[in-house]
Amino acid sequence: MSEIEKGTDRLYQDLARNLTEELASGAYPVGARLPAERELAVKYGVSRPTVREAIIALEVQGLLEVRVGSGAYVRRLPGSEDLPGFNVSAFELTEARLLFEGEAAALAATQVTDEELAEIERLVDAIAQENNDPRGSEKADRAFHLAIAKATRNGAIHDAIERLWDLRASSPEAALLHEKARTANIKPVVDEHSAILQALRSRDPVAARQAMRGHLSQVIDSLLFATEERQIEEARRAAQAKRDRYSRATA
């Protein structure tokens, strides 16, 4: 049975409180490595995204330090004043976007003009250009999604979706995980945006909803799998490439 009680709090908040209590009890001293995400997920009967959210919440507080390719380590032990403070997490945010933006895309497919389609197509190209720039931001990605929201002809929908995008930067938990994803070289997928554009161009609300929901489901997966396993594998490939290059240079 899960050690986390299913109450009104979000699961990751319950888990963060449990972990804080374990840290305070001395279960993990300063410098100790926490069990892997999979182990914590099994122990507490929750999903890996829930574990990720809880760890990030404690990382934001300075209790944990997450080291690339290694895991989460205790940075300091909590004091009596260290009650977890929670903001919107990246997973919560993307789940909300999936619900709102999926329906917005469906409505936009019935309302979008040729001029708006041309602008959305331009933004797909801009996303590709940003992906090729190591210093590139995700401004075009944001503009793409807000252009679709605008095409619904519903100001409340546009404002709601704009607020969700604002939370990506203003919520410390969401901003931290998105920054980790960028560090792991996870970028907006052009083909997914192109599929949304094609559905809008066809004026097909069902296809537009499916394309948007499919895209944001992949975003959730990307946030989850910007993990130590992927980073370790990338590090191994980079190290092997260096060895191969050195071997060729000295042959």
Side-chain angles (χ1 to χ4, degrees):
M1 180 179 294
S2 169
E3 296 182 20
I4 296 180
E5 296 181 359
K6 303 303 189 289
T8 57
D9 285 343
R10 292 169 282 180
L11 284 179
Y12 90 93
Q13 295 180 351
D14 286 330
L15 178 54
R17 291 189 180 94
N18 274 265
L19 291 174
T20 300
E21 290 172 3
E22 289 201 27
L23 293 175
S25 72
Y28 304 105
V30 172
R33 183 183 185 275
L34 263 62
E37 285 181 3
R38 287 190 179 91
E39 295 177 47
L40 290 173
V42 171
K43 178 180 179 180
Y44 289 101
V46 297
S47 67
R48 286 185 64 196
T50 297
V51 174
R52 177 66 53 76
E53 289 174 314
I55 288 175
I56 287 175
L58 298 187
E59 186 179 10
V60 166
Q61 285 188 266
L63 297 177
L64 299 179
E65 176 187 2
V66 178
R67 301 174 188 170
V68 174
S70 183
Y73 291 80
V74 179
R75 185 176 178 183
R76 67 176 179 85
L77 297 179
S80 58
E81 73 284 357
D82 280 308
L83 295 175
F86 300 106
N87 298 282
V88 174
S89 74
F91 289 106
E92 288 181 305
L93 177 58
T94 310
E95 184 179 55
R97 287 184 56 208
L98 187 150
L99 296 172
F100 279 87
E101 294 197 46
E103 295 309 308
L107 180 57
T110 69
Q111 305 291 323
V112 67
T113 66
D114 289 341
E115 291 77 12
E116 287 169 330
L117 285 170
E119 173 62 11
I120 293 170
E121 182 176 14
R122 185 192 69 78
L123 289 168
V124 173
D125 293 337
I127 290 171
Q129 292 174 7
E130 283 186 345
N131 285 351
N132 290 329
D133 184 353
R135 301 167 299 173
S137 65
E138 295 182 6
K139 292 181 180 178
D141 189 23
R142 175 189 171 107
F144 171 91
H145 287 273
L146 291 183
I148 293 172
K150 184 178 180 181
T152 64
R153 303 287 182 274
N154 185 308
I157 291 175
H158 180 272
D159 288 350
I161 291 174
E162 186 173 36
R163 170 60 178 156
L164 291 175
W165 273 87
D166 288 342
L167 281 170
R168 276 187 50 157
S170 63
S171 167
E173 284 93 332
L176 180 59
L177 186 48
H178 279 287
E179 179 59 34
K180 289 178 181 292
R182 283 191 292 273
T183 300
N185 203 34
I186 294 174
K187 299 177 180 179
V189 179
V190 175
D191 286 348
E192 294 171 10
H193 291 78
S194 296
I196 297 167
L197 170 62
Q198 183 55 46
L200 292 171
R201 186 176 282 129
S202 300
R203 267 72 176 191
D204 185 337
V206 174
R209 179 186 295 111
Q210 291 175 340
M212 181 64 78
R213 289 176 66 89
H215 162 54
L216 292 170
S217 293
Q218 289 300 313
V219 171
I220 291 173
D221 287 344
S222 295
L223 290 173
L224 175 60
F225 291 109
T227 60
E228 79 182 85
E229 288 86 355
R230 171 176 289 189
Q231 291 162 347
I232 287 173
E233 183 58 31
E234 288 178 351
R236 285 173 178 163
R237 287 198 297 267
Q240 185 61 51
K242 289 180 180 178
R243 285 194 293 269
D244 292 344
R245 186 166 60 248
Y246 179 78
S247 296
R248 289 195 298 270
T250 58

